[in-house]
Coordinates of all heavy atoms in Angstrom, one line a residue:
V50 N -7.7 -3.7 7.0 CA -7.1 -4.4 5.8 C -8.3 -4.6 4.8 O -9.3 -5.2 5.2 CB -6.5 -5.7 6.2 CG1 -5.9 -6.4 5.0 CG2 -5.4 -5.4 7.3
M51 N -8.1 -4.3 3.6 CA -9.1 -4.5 2.5 C -9.1 -6.0 2.2 O -8.1 -6.6 2.1 CB -8.7 -3.7 1.3 CG -9.6 -3.7 0.2 SD -9.1 -2.7 -1.2 CE -10.4 -2.9 -2.3
E52 N -10.4 -6.5 2.0 CA -10.6 -7.9 1.7 C -9.9 -8.2 0.3 O -10.0 -7.3 -0.6 CB -12.1 -8.2 1.6 CG -12.7 -8.2 2.9 CD -14.2 -8.6 2.8 OE1 -14.6 -9.2 1.8 OE2 -14.9 -8.3 3.8
K53 N -9.3 -9.3 0.2 CA -8.7 -9.8 -1.0 C -7.6 -9.0 -1.5 O -7.3 -8.9 -2.7 CB -9.8 -10.0 -2.2 CG -10.8 -11.0 -1.8 CD -11.9 -11.2 -2.9 CE -13.0 -12.1 -2.4 NZ -14.1 -12.2 -3.3
S54 N -7.0 -8.2 -0.6 CA -5.8 -7.4 -1.0 C -4.5 -8.1 -0.8 O -4.5 -9.1 -0.1 CB -5.9 -6.1 -0.1 OG -5.6 -6.4 1.3
P55 N -3.4 -7.6 -1.3 CA -2.1 -8.2 -1.0 C -1.8 -8.2 0.5 O -1.2 -9.2 1.0 CB -1.1 -7.2 -1.8 CG -2.0 -6.6 -2.9 CD -3.3 -6.5 -2.3
A56 N -2.3 -7.2 1.2 CA -2.0 -7.2 2.7 C -2.7 -8.3 3.4 O -2.2 -9.0 4.2 CB -2.5 -5.9 3.3
E57 N -4.0 -8.6 3.0 CA -4.7 -9.7 3.6 C -4.1 -11.0 3.2 O -3.9 -11.9 4.0 CB -6.2 -9.7 3.1 CG -7.0 -10.8 3.7 CD -8.4 -10.9 3.2 OE1 -8.6 -11.0 2.0 OE2 -9.3 -10.7 4.1
T58 N -3.7 -11.2 2.0 CA -3.0 -12.4 1.5 C -1.7 -12.6 2.3 O -1.4 -13.8 2.6 CB -2.7 -12.3 0.0 OG1 -3.9 -12.1 -0.7 CG2 -2.0 -13.6 -0.5
A59 N -1.0 -11.6 2.6 CA 0.3 -11.7 3.4 C 0.0 -11.9 4.9 O 1.0 -12.2 5.6 CB 1.1 -10.4 3.2
G60 N -1.2 -11.8 5.3 CA -1.5 -12.1 6.7 C -1.5 -10.9 7.6 O -1.5 -11.0 8.9
I61 N -1.4 -9.7 7.0 CA -1.5 -8.5 7.8 C -2.9 -8.3 8.4 O -3.9 -8.5 7.7 CB -1.0 -7.2 7.0 CG1 0.4 -7.4 6.6 CG2 -1.3 -5.9 7.7 CD1 0.9 -6.4 5.6
Q62 N -3.0 -7.9 9.6 CA -4.3 -7.7 10.3 C -4.5 -6.3 10.9 O -3.5 -5.6 11.1 CB -4.4 -8.7 11.4 CG -4.3 -10.2 11.0 CD -4.3 -11.1 12.2 OE1 -4.5 -10.8 13.3 NE2 -4.1 -12.4 11.9
A63 N -5.7 -5.9 11.1 CA -6.0 -4.7 11.7 C -5.3 -4.7 13.1 O -5.2 -5.8 13.7 CB -7.5 -4.5 11.9
N64 N -4.8 -3.6 13.5 CA -4.1 -3.4 14.8 C -2.6 -3.9 14.8 O -2.0 -3.8 15.8 CB -4.9 -3.9 16.0 CG -6.2 -3.2 16.2 OD1 -6.3 -2.0 16.0 ND2 -7.2 -4.0 16.4
D65 N -2.2 -4.4 13.6 CA -0.7 -4.7 13.5 C 0.0 -3.4 13.5 O -0.6 -2.4 13.0 CB -0.4 -5.5 12.2 CG -0.7 -7.0 12.3 OD1 -1.1 -7.5 13.4 OD2 -0.6 -7.6 11.2
I66 N 1.2 -3.4 13.9 CA 2.1 -2.2 13.8 C 3.2 -2.6 12.9 O 4.0 -3.5 13.2 CB 2.6 -1.8 15.2 CG1 1.4 -1.4 16.1 CG2 3.6 -0.6 15.0 CD1 1.8 -1.2 17.5
I67 N 3.3 -1.9 11.7 CA 4.4 -2.2 10.8 C 5.6 -1.4 11.2 O 5.5 -0.2 11.3 CB 3.9 -1.8 9.3 CG1 2.7 -2.7 9.0 CG2 5.1 -2.1 8.4 CD1 2.1 -2.3 7.6
L68 N 6.7 -2.1 11.5 CA 7.9 -1.5 12.0 C 8.9 -1.2 10.8 O 9.6 -0.2 10.8 CB 8.6 -2.4 13.0 CG 7.8 -2.7 14.3 CD1 8.6 -3.7 15.1 CD2 7.5 -1.4 15.0
K69 N 9.0 -2.2 9.9 CA 10.1 -2.2 8.9 C 9.5 -2.6 7.6 O 8.6 -3.4 7.5 CB 11.2 -3.1 9.3 CG 11.9 -2.7 10.6 CD 13.1 -3.7 10.9 CE 13.7 -3.3 12.2 NZ 14.7 -4.2 12.6
W70 N 10.2 -2.1 6.5 CA 9.9 -2.5 5.1 C 11.3 -2.9 4.6 O 12.2 -2.1 4.4 CB 9.4 -1.3 4.4 CG 9.1 -1.4 3.0 CD1 10.0 -1.4 2.0 CD2 7.8 -1.4 2.3 NE1 9.4 -1.5 0.7 CE2 8.0 -1.5 1.0 CE3 6.5 -1.4 2.8 CZ2 7.0 -1.5 0.0 CZ3 5.5 -1.4 1.9 CH2 5.7 -1.5 0.5
N71 N 11.4 -4.2 4.3 CA 12.7 -4.7 3.8 C 13.9 -4.3 4.7 O 14.9 -3.9 4.2 CB 13.0 -4.3 2.3 CG 12.3 -5.2 1.3 OD1 11.8 -6.3 1.7 ND2 12.1 -4.7 0.1
G72 N 13.7 -4.3 6.0 CA 14.7 -4.0 6.9 C 14.9 -2.6 7.3 O 15.6 -2.2 8.2
E73 N 14.2 -1.7 6.6 CA 14.3 -0.2 6.9 C 13.1 0.2 7.8 O 12.0 -0.1 7.5 CB 14.3 0.6 5.6 CG 15.5 0.3 4.7 CD 15.4 1.2 3.4 OE1 14.8 2.3 3.5 OE2 15.9 0.7 2.4
A74 N 13.5 1.0 8.8 CA 12.5 1.4 9.8 C 11.4 2.3 9.1 O 11.7 3.1 8.2 CB 13.1 2.2 10.9
I75 N 10.2 2.2 9.5 CA 9.1 3.0 9.0 C 8.7 4.0 10.1 O 8.3 3.6 11.2 CB 7.8 2.1 8.6 CG1 8.1 1.2 7.5 CG2 6.6 3.0 8.3 CD1 8.4 1.8 6.2
A76 N 8.9 5.3 9.8 CA 8.7 6.3 10.9 C 7.3 6.6 11.1 O 6.9 7.0 12.2 CB 9.5 7.6 10.5
G77 N 6.4 6.5 10.0 CA 5.0 6.8 10.1 C 4.3 6.6 8.8 O 4.9 6.1 7.9
P78 N 3.0 7.0 8.8 CA 2.3 6.8 7.5 C 2.9 7.4 6.3 O 2.8 6.7 5.2 CB 0.9 7.5 7.9 CG 0.8 7.4 9.3 CD 2.2 7.6 9.8
E79 N 3.5 8.6 6.4 CA 4.1 9.2 5.2 C 5.2 8.3 4.6 O 5.3 8.1 3.4 CB 4.6 10.6 5.5 CG 3.5 11.6 5.8 CD 3.1 11.6 7.3 OE1 3.7 10.8 8.1 OE2 2.2 12.3 7.7
A80 N 6.0 7.8 5.5 CA 7.1 7.0 5.1 C 6.6 5.7 4.5 O 7.2 5.2 3.5 CB 8.0 6.6 6.3
F81 N 5.6 5.1 5.0 CA 5.0 3.9 4.5 C 4.5 4.1 3.1 O 4.7 3.4 2.1 CB 3.9 3.3 5.4 CG 3.3 2.1 4.9 CD1 3.9 0.9 5.2 CD2 2.2 2.1 4.1 CE1 3.3 -0.3 4.7 CE2 1.6 0.9 3.6 CZ 2.2 -0.3 3.9
I82 N 3.7 5.2 2.9 CA 3.1 5.6 1.6 C 4.3 5.8 0.6 O 4.1 5.3 -0.6 CB 2.2 6.8 1.7 CG1 1.0 6.4 2.5 CG2 1.8 7.3 0.4 CD1 0.1 7.6 3.0
A83 N 5.3 6.4 1.0 CA 6.5 6.6 0.1 C 7.1 5.3 -0.4 O 7.4 5.1 -1.6 CB 7.5 7.5 0.7
K84 N 7.2 4.3 0.5 CA 7.7 3.0 0.2 C 6.8 2.3 -0.8 O 7.2 1.7 -1.8 CB 7.9 2.1 1.4 CG 8.9 2.6 2.4 CD 10.3 2.4 1.9 CE 11.3 2.7 2.9 NZ 12.7 2.7 2.4
V85 N 5.4 2.4 -0.6 CA 4.5 1.8 -1.5 C 4.6 2.4 -2.9 O 4.7 1.7 -3.9 CB 3.0 1.9 -1.0 CG1 2.0 1.5 -2.1 CG2 2.9 1.1 0.3
K86 N 4.7 3.8 -3.0 CA 4.8 4.5 -4.3 C 6.1 4.1 -5.0 O 6.1 4.1 -6.2 CB 4.7 6.0 -4.0 CG 3.4 6.5 -3.7 CD 3.4 8.0 -3.6 CE 2.0 8.6 -3.3 NZ 2.1 10.0 -3.2
A87 N 7.1 3.8 -4.3 CA 8.4 3.5 -4.9 C 8.5 2.0 -5.3 O 9.4 1.6 -6.1 CB 9.6 3.8 -4.0
A88 N 7.6 1.2 -4.9 CA 7.6 -0.2 -5.2 C 7.0 -0.5 -6.6 O 6.2 0.3 -7.1 CB 6.8 -1.0 -4.1
A89 N 7.3 -1.7 -7.1 CA 6.7 -2.1 -8.4 C 5.8 -3.2 -8.1 O 6.0 -4.1 -7.3 CB 7.8 -2.6 -9.3
P90 N 4.6 -3.2 -8.8 CA 3.7 -4.4 -8.7 C 4.4 -5.7 -9.0 O 5.3 -5.8 -9.9 CB 2.7 -4.1 -9.8 CG 2.7 -2.6 -9.9 CD 4.1 -2.2 -9.8
G91 N 4.2 -6.7 -8.1 CA 4.8 -7.9 -8.2 C 6.1 -8.1 -7.3 O 6.6 -9.1 -7.1
E92 N 6.6 -6.9 -6.9 CA 7.8 -6.9 -6.0 C 7.5 -7.6 -4.7 O 6.5 -7.3 -4.1 CB 8.2 -5.5 -5.8 CG 9.5 -5.3 -5.0 CD 9.9 -3.9 -4.8 OE1 9.5 -3.0 -5.6 OE2 10.6 -3.6 -3.8
A93 N 8.4 -8.4 -4.2 CA 8.3 -9.0 -2.9 C 8.9 -8.2 -1.9 O 10.0 -7.7 -2.0 CB 8.9 -10.4 -2.9
V94 N 8.2 -7.9 -0.8 CA 8.6 -7.1 0.3 C 8.5 -7.8 1.6 O 7.5 -8.5 1.8 CB 7.8 -5.8 0.4 CG1 8.2 -4.9 1.5 CG2 7.8 -5.0 -0.9
K95 N 9.5 -7.7 2.5 CA 9.4 -8.2 3.8 C 9.1 -7.1 4.8 O 9.7 -6.0 4.7 CB 10.7 -8.9 4.2 CG 11.0 -10.2 3.4 CD 12.2 -10.9 3.9 CE 12.3 -12.2 3.1 NZ 13.3 -13.1 3.6
R96 N 8.2 -7.4 5.7 CA 7.8 -6.4 6.7 C 7.9 -7.0 8.1 O 7.4 -8.1 8.3 CB 6.3 -6.0 6.5 CG 6.1 -5.3 5.2 CD 4.7 -4.9 5.2 NE 4.2 -4.5 3.9 CZ 3.1 -3.9 3.7 NH1 2.3 -3.7 4.7 NH2 2.8 -3.5 2.5
A97 N 8.4 -6.2 9.0 CA 8.4 -6.6 10.4 C 7.2 -5.9 11.0 O 7.0 -4.7 10.8 CB 9.7 -6.2 11.0
V98 N 6.3 -6.7 11.6 CA 5.2 -6.2 12.3 C 5.1 -6.7 13.8 O 5.7 -7.7 14.1 CB 3.8 -6.6 11.6 CG1 3.8 -6.2 10.2 CG2 3.6 -8.1 11.7
V99 N 4.5 -5.9 14.6 CA 4.2 -6.3 16.0 C 2.7 -6.6 16.1 O 1.9 -5.8 15.6 CB 4.6 -5.1 16.9 CG1 4.1 -5.5 18.4 CG2 6.1 -4.8 16.9
R100 N 2.4 -7.8 16.6 CA 1.0 -8.2 16.7 C 0.9 -8.8 18.2 O 1.7 -9.7 18.5 CB 0.7 -9.2 15.7 CG -0.8 -9.7 15.9 CD -1.1 -10.8 14.8 NE -1.0 -10.2 13.5 CZ -0.7 -10.9 12.4 NH1 -0.4 -12.2 12.5 NH2 -0.6 -10.3 11.2
K101 N 0.1 -8.2 19.0 CA -0.1 -8.6 20.3 C 1.2 -8.7 21.1 O 1.4 -9.7 21.8 CB -0.9 -10.0 20.3 CG -2.3 -9.9 19.8 CD -3.0 -11.2 19.8 CE -4.3 -11.1 19.2 NZ -5.1 -12.4 19.1
G102 N 2.1 -7.8 20.9 CA 3.3 -7.7 21.6 C 4.5 -8.5 21.1 O 5.6 -8.3 21.5
A103 N 4.2 -9.3 20.1 CA 5.3 -10.1 19.5 C 5.6 -9.7 18.1 O 4.7 -9.3 17.3 CB 4.9 -11.6 19.5
E104 N 6.9 -9.7 17.8 CA 7.3 -9.2 16.4 C 7.3 -10.4 15.5 O 7.7 -11.5 15.8 CB 8.7 -8.6 16.5 CG 9.1 -8.0 15.2 CD 10.4 -7.2 15.3 OE1 10.7 -6.6 16.3 OE2 11.1 -7.1 14.3
H105 N 6.8 -10.2 14.3 CA 6.7 -11.2 13.2 C 7.2 -10.6 11.9 O 7.1 -9.4 11.7 CB 5.2 -11.6 12.9 CG 4.5 -12.1 14.2 ND1 4.6 -13.4 14.6 CD2 3.7 -11.4 15.0 CE1 3.9 -13.5 15.7 NE2 3.3 -12.3 16.0
E106 N 7.8 -11.4 11.0 CA 8.2 -11.0 9.7 C 7.2 -11.6 8.7 O 7.0 -12.8 8.7 CB 9.6 -11.4 9.4 CG 10.1 -10.7 8.1 CD 11.5 -10.9 7.9 OE1 12.3 -10.2 8.6 OE2 11.9 -11.7 7.0
L107 N 6.6 -10.8 7.9 CA 5.6 -11.2 6.9 C 6.1 -10.8 5.5 O 6.7 -9.7 5.3 CB 4.3 -10.5 7.1 CG 3.6 -10.8 8.5 CD1 2.4 -10.0 8.6 CD2 3.3 -12.3 8.7
A108 N 6.0 -11.7 4.5 CA 6.3 -11.5 3.1 C 5.0 -11.0 2.4 O 4.0 -11.5 2.6 CB 6.8 -12.7 2.4
L109 N 5.2 -10.0 1.6 CA 4.1 -9.4 0.9 C 4.5 -9.2 -0.6 O 5.6 -8.7 -0.9 CB 3.8 -8.0 1.5 CG 2.8 -7.1 0.7 CD1 1.4 -7.5 1.1 CD2 3.1 -5.7 1.0
A110 N 3.6 -9.5 -1.5 CA 3.8 -9.2 -2.9 C 3.0 -8.0 -3.2 O 1.8 -8.0 -3.1 CB 3.4 -10.4 -3.8

Side-chain angles (χ1 to χ4, degrees):
V50 178
M51 184 177 178
E52 288 183 21
K53 300 179 184 176
S54 68
E57 183 182 59
T58 302
I61 295 172
Q62 299 176 6
N64 298 317
D65 281 355
I66 298 170
I67 301 173
L68 300 174
K69 297 179 183 175
W70 176 287
N71 279 343
E73 294 181 32
I75 297 294
E79 296 87 358
F81 182 86
I82 292 168
K84 295 285 187 188
V85 172
K86 286 182 176 182
E92 181 180 338
V94 177
K95 290 187 179 186
R96 297 187 192 186
V98 301
V99 172
R100 179 179 300 148
K101 297 181 182 177
E104 189 171 327
H105 306 275
E106 188 170 288
L107 302 174
L109 168 86

